[in-house]
Amino acid sequence: MLRVLYAGSPAASSRALELILKDSYMSASIPEEHYKIVGVLTNPPSTQGRHRDLIPTEVAHYAQIWNEARDEGIVILSPEHLKQEARDQIAALHPDIFICFAYGHILGPKFFSLFKYGGINLHPSILPKYRGATPVNQAILNGDSETGISIQKMALGIDEGDILSMQRWTLTGTETAESLLKEVALHGAISITTILRYIAKHHELPVSYPQRGEASYCSIIKKEDGRIKWTDSAEKIDAQIRAYTPWPGCFTSCNGQMLKIIKARDAAKIAFQDNSIPKNTAAVPGTVLSYNKQRGILIQTGDGVLIATELQWQAKKAMDYKSFMNGARNFIGSVLE
């Protein structure tokens, strides 16, 4: 039996873990392909809410659910740093291989020496494009026509490892970072289960190949990146809103009050099927032009019109555009900043 340590923290990583765990359970029926998740490695709990309650990561939470439902004993490790104590805890599990998806820690040679077959990383881009922490967001921001996943052997350099498996698929231009990560988790988990069954059966990694092409990198996202610049084009703001859903979210200000734009579309994408929607006007960028009951709230940008369909005032609940307009007197004609 192949013993696996899984590492990750956010919701998408939890979804991948769920699918891998279910396949590991089924792999027991084929002894030569049997693998088992013996532990998960995740970030420490974070404090949330007024009472500063400690909340486990999504990965830790799902591992707990699995343990309770199956009466199993997956060990959940959440060290602040991967120092000797943490490495000793991992070594005690006798793991053969390390699987990583969105763990977010720099890993060194002492860590990788704990695993017979080293580490495998699920990276949500077509490597070497978009090495780094935010490839999904970057693909949406750049308006890419396709994306994919790379399953790579882990190396000491960031996302520099050889490729074990790669998948590509077409983007529609409507994806959010949240929806695209769900797709990544599904495709990635399937690829990882195939590789784990192969290793369990053949006692070696599948054949890999070096990354091909010129490398590019993506940067860490900051909260301020969500501020909308109305002098940008509607196409760019549309992509920004989708790329930063759910975090950090996109926001503007109206008469000194913060306003989040949660969902919106570039009017040019639907104007061809609805001639009541203007593609552009001469109004000042940020001007709230009108309210279309069938489409949303129309806002002028530096180039093109943006149609907002879900909005949220600071400290208020998010609302669809119709509910929002019921309580937004004098909103039409205002200039967002």
Side-chain angles (χ1 to χ4, degrees):
M1 181 186 70
L2 184 72
R3 299 173 65 84
V4 182
L5 178 72
Y6 181 91
S9 293
S13 186
S14 173
R15 175 57 176 158
L17 173 63
E18 176 186 355
L19 297 172
I20 294 168
L21 278 168
K22 289 177 178 177
D23 184 74
S24 73
Y25 184 79
M26 292 186 290
S27 75
S29 63
I30 308 174
E32 64 269 26
E33 294 183 3
H34 188 201
Y35 67 91
K36 182 179 179 65
I37 307 291
V38 295
V40 297
L41 182 62
T42 190
N43 286 330
S46 58
T47 55
Q48 294 182 16
R50 186 171 54 185
H51 301 292
R52 310 298 288 169
D53 296 324
L54 285 175
I55 307 299
T57 67
E58 296 281 355
V59 163
H61 179 63
Y62 187 78
Q64 290 170 349
I65 291 174
W66 180 269
N67 280 342
E68 292 168 4
R70 305 279 182 172
D71 194 24
E72 292 196 15
I74 296 173
V75 176
I76 301 169
L77 302 173
S78 53
E80 189 75 41
H81 304 287
L82 291 172
K83 296 183 178 180
Q84 188 63 52
E85 181 181 358
R87 293 197 299 270
D88 288 343
Q89 291 175 323
I90 292 168
L93 300 176
H94 305 291
D96 297 306
I97 192 164
F98 173 65
I99 302 295
C100 182
F101 176 28
Y103 179 44
H105 287 246
I106 295 175
L107 307 171
K110 290 182 180 179
F111 177 84
F112 287 121
S113 69
L114 300 172
F115 308 94
K116 179 179 179 181
Y117 299 108
I120 293 176
N121 181 49
L122 164 56
H123 187 76
S125 79
I126 305 167
L127 286 170
K129 190 175 186 179
Y130 302 147
R131 291 175 177 171
T134 58
V136 165
N137 314 79
Q138 199 66 52
I140 295 173
L141 285 171
N142 289 353
D144 290 357
S145 60
E146 71 167 1
T147 191
I149 57 168
S150 302
I151 311 297
Q152 60 172 160
K153 293 169 63 176
M154 296 190 75
L156 295 180
I158 296 176
D159 299 323
E160 294 180 1
D162 289 353
I163 303 298
L164 292 163
S165 173
M166 184 178 286
Q167 291 185 51
R168 301 169 182 258
W169 63 86
T170 301
L171 293 175
T172 65
T174 61
E175 295 86 359
T176 66
E178 185 174 40
S179 68
L180 188 49
L181 276 169
K182 288 179 180 178
E183 198 167 353
V184 164
L186 172 62
H187 289 285
I190 292 171
S191 293
I192 286 172
T193 59
T194 300
I195 291 172
L196 289 175
R197 284 174 178 259
Y198 179 95
I199 298 169
K201 184 174 183 178
H202 298 281
H203 308 290
E204 63 180 5
L205 293 174
V207 174
S208 62
Y209 58 89
Q211 297 181 25
R212 304 180 183 121
E214 185 176 351
S216 62
Y217 295 84
C218 46
S219 58
I220 298 293
I221 295 170
K222 305 180 295 297
K223 187 172 182 178
E224 187 61 24
D225 292 333
R227 179 175 293 279
I228 296 172
K229 298 177 181 177
W230 292 106
T231 51
D232 288 340
S233 68
E235 181 180 26
K236 184 174 181 179
I237 296 171
D238 176 348
Q240 179 188 13
I241 292 169
R242 291 184 292 107
Y244 295 151
T245 298
W247 193 89
C250 285
F251 59 93
T252 184
S253 61
C254 178
N255 298 321
Q257 187 175 0
M258 189 178 81
L259 175 65
K260 292 183 179 180
I261 309 293
I262 297 173
K263 293 181 181 178
R265 291 286 284 161
D266 176 3
K269 294 180 179 179
I270 62 172
F272 70 92
Q273 59 181 335
D274 186 348
N275 57 20
S276 70
I277 300 296
K279 293 182 180 180
N280 216 345
T281 77
V284 172
T287 300
V288 182
L289 300 171
S290 62
Y291 166 46
N292 183 299
K293 290 185 178 180
Q294 283 70 46
R295 298 295 184 180
I297 301 167
L298 279 61
I299 307 169
Q300 180 62 44
T301 72
D303 181 13
V305 172
L306 188 78
I307 305 176
T309 57
E310 187 174 343
L311 308 92
Q312 181 180 14
W313 290 114
Q314 185 174 13
K316 301 292 184 179
K317 291 183 178 180
M319 292 180 281
D320 64 77
Y321 65 94
K322 293 180 181 179
S323 301
F324 179 87
M325 286 303 301
N326 286 336
R329 294 181 181 179
N330 304 318
F331 188 61
I332 304 301
S334 61
V335 180
L336 307 180
E337 299 178 349

